[in-house]
Amino acid sequence: MDAGVVRFRPILFTALAVVGASAIPADPILKGLAIVLMAGEIAGLLIGRVAVPAPYFMANKEAGPSPRIPAATDESECYTLRVSLTEWGIPAVRVVKPAIAYNPAIHMYRNGTLCLFHPPTQPWSGAYDLHKTIIPWTAEWLVYYELYLTEGKWLGPEVPHGELQLE
């Protein structure tokens, strides 16, 4: 459901572009084709973005809010993360909930982003896939953070940052 909200606007504009570009020509054969193309695009938009999600939304609305995803252990939290790209295309990961304040003892930058790789020795490449790099690295960071909470010491790999920051 959340993805539908984010993707609706680009899908709507694509449909409007197809309908607008299919202005009904004078040729009777092309006229029929343009009408079918426009009707198909409008029907696809309505079915895919209204008719299909509506019953799903109604069923889930009656069931109440979705249950909270359980944490891995009784001691661990369920984390909400924000992954964004900096102006240089470098991913920056922040823990949104529960908020984690900057602490030099844990492996993160002063601006609150997680330190998942060492840019001088392992620079980010635009060819990297987030699902093969940043996502597993973040999961590993959270494991080490949980260990830090229980042990009081950062047990994960680290390199001193100095003043290096990813904005």
Side-chain angles (χ1 to χ4, degrees):
M1 290 304 292
D2 295 336
V5 173
V6 173
R7 293 174 35 210
F8 179 74
R9 193 166 138 196
I11 291 171
L12 174 65
F13 286 139
T14 302
L16 290 175
V18 169
V19 170
S22 302
I24 300 178
D27 185 339
I29 293 176
L30 292 178
K31 181 178 181 179
L33 180 63
I35 290 171
V36 168
L37 183 65
M38 287 188 287
E41 193 65 38
I42 292 169
L45 177 69
L46 293 176
I47 290 170
R49 295 292 152 219
V50 178
V52 172
Y56 178 80
F57 179 74
M58 299 285 272
N60 284 342
K61 189 175 179 183
E62 291 173 6
S66 60
R68 184 175 183 267
I69 298 170
T73 68
D74 292 337
E75 290 82 28
S76 64
E77 290 280 341
C78 180
Y79 293 93
T80 302
L81 305 169
R82 176 175 294 129
V83 179
S84 56
L85 295 178
T86 65
E87 61 185 278
W88 302 283
I90 300 170
V93 180
R94 285 184 170 78
V95 177
V96 178
K97 290 182 186 174
I100 299 176
Y102 169 73
N103 179 345
I106 60 177
H107 208 52
M108 63 191 303
Y109 294 107
R110 293 184 192 280
N111 66 2
T113 59
L114 308 184
C115 179
L116 302 174
F117 61 97
H118 187 235
T121 60
Q122 182 184 12
W124 179 257
S125 167
Y128 292 161
D129 293 322
L130 292 179
H131 70 283
K132 292 180 181 176
T133 54
I134 295 299
I135 302 304
W137 294 345
T138 302
E140 183 180 26
W141 189 96
L142 289 170
V143 167
Y144 287 121
Y145 178 70
E146 288 286 328
L147 288 170
Y148 168 78
L149 293 177
T150 58
E151 302 297 321
K153 178 182 177 189
W154 187 262
L155 300 173
E158 63 180 328
V159 174
H161 300 106
E163 292 300 315
L164 178 65
Q165 292 186 18
L166 296 176
E167 294 298 328

